[in-house]
Amino acid sequence: MRTDDLIAGLASDVRPVKRLRPPVSRAATWLLLAAMVLFLLVISQGLRFDLAQCLREPSFVLGMAASLATGILSAIAAFALSLPDRSRLWLLLPIPTLCLWLSNIGYQCLTQWVSIGPQGVTFGETARCFATIVLTSLPLSLAMLVMLRHSALLRPRIVTIMGSLSIAAITATALSLIHSIDATVMILIMNVGMAAMLVLLGGVFARTMFGWVAPRSPTLN
């Protein structure tokens, strides 16, 4: 077959490719879903009874704002990094707010150390915290996985890490709004521990998770 005939044959079977929306636009769609999930959780479980008092404390407001900002910026970074022509410097986008969030938790550990007695943490409250984590992180994880499926062959690990960080930060914000246990041990377990777990699992199983939504990708076998 002549080269001209081969090119003509390939060109005749070409199908138009639908362009992806800009990363910020897709991130905004996902963040809108996150806002809806938080709204439904607040309706079903209610806000913490001492929220008005907590909002007068600078450390609480700063910590919640930092976790929310980390979730937003990490989501934008994840969608930007899913495109092959974007710089890896997008990884640095959530770093300032992440440092602020973690340093605020560290500050609370040093200045507001609380000893939790037998009555401090009950099974019911622990179950509610776990339910909040699952009800927040599961739908957001599935939605982000589907929306970022095109990055399966490009940068699956760093995209998944940024997405996991965003989900962890949004989940931490939900915990701050709904649950009233602010003791140091609970902060460390529910916020830092949960964030580290999601990011670690995302980094390790990135290709496997993308394989669920992109089964035809040859490099995922």
Side-chain angles (χ1 to χ4, degrees):
M1 180 180 293
R2 296 188 308 168
T3 303
D4 293 341
D5 295 336
L6 176 61
I7 295 175
L10 293 175
S12 63
D13 295 331
V14 172
R15 298 178 181 179
V17 177
K18 184 179 179 180
R19 291 177 59 90
L20 292 174
R21 290 183 299 162
V24 174
S25 176
R26 290 189 291 146
T29 301
W30 183 84
L31 290 169
L32 179 61
L33 173 63
M36 293 175 59
V37 171
L38 291 181
F39 179 72
L40 293 175
L41 282 174
V42 169
I43 290 179
S44 62
Q45 299 192 29
L47 293 171
R48 53 187 298 171
F49 69 91
D50 59 345
L51 182 61
Q53 178 182 352
C54 290
L55 291 176
R56 299 189 186 98
E57 301 176 4
S59 60
F60 176 83
V61 175
L62 182 62
M64 192 168 65
S67 65
L68 181 60
T70 300
I72 294 173
L73 296 178
S74 298
I76 295 174
F79 282 98
L81 289 167
S82 67
L83 301 180
D85 60 337
R86 300 304 168 98
S87 171
R88 289 177 179 267
L89 292 178
W90 281 96
L91 283 169
L92 303 178
L93 183 64
I95 296 300
T97 55
L98 175 62
C99 293
L100 184 61
W101 176 29
L102 296 180
S103 63
N104 182 73
I105 293 178
Y107 174 79
Q108 293 184 50
C109 292
L110 292 175
T111 61
Q112 301 178 14
W113 186 267
V114 179
S115 177
I116 304 179
Q119 72 283 0
V121 180
T122 62
F123 176 78
E125 185 63 26
T126 303
R128 287 183 67 238
C129 289
F130 181 75
T132 300
I133 293 175
V134 173
L135 293 175
T136 305
S137 60
L138 183 59
L140 296 184
S141 298
L142 293 176
M144 182 167 283
L145 187 64
V146 172
M147 294 178 71
L148 292 175
R149 65 188 182 277
H150 299 287
S151 65
L153 296 178
L154 302 174
R155 301 165 173 170
R157 181 162 284 108
I158 61 175
V159 169
T160 305
I161 288 175
M162 283 291 101
S164 300
L165 178 60
S166 177
I167 294 166
I170 296 294
T171 304
T173 304
L175 288 174
S176 298
L177 288 173
I178 296 174
H179 299 283
S180 59
I181 297 181
D182 282 333
T184 301
V185 175
M186 294 301 292
I187 289 176
L188 289 175
I189 293 177
M190 295 299 180
N191 286 356
V192 179
M194 175 264 303
M197 181 187 67
L198 288 177
V199 172
L200 178 62
L201 291 177
V204 172
F205 298 104
R207 291 187 177 275
T208 301
M209 290 188 295
F210 277 119
W212 299 337
V213 292
R216 298 180 181 179
S217 300
T219 60
L220 295 177
N221 294 329

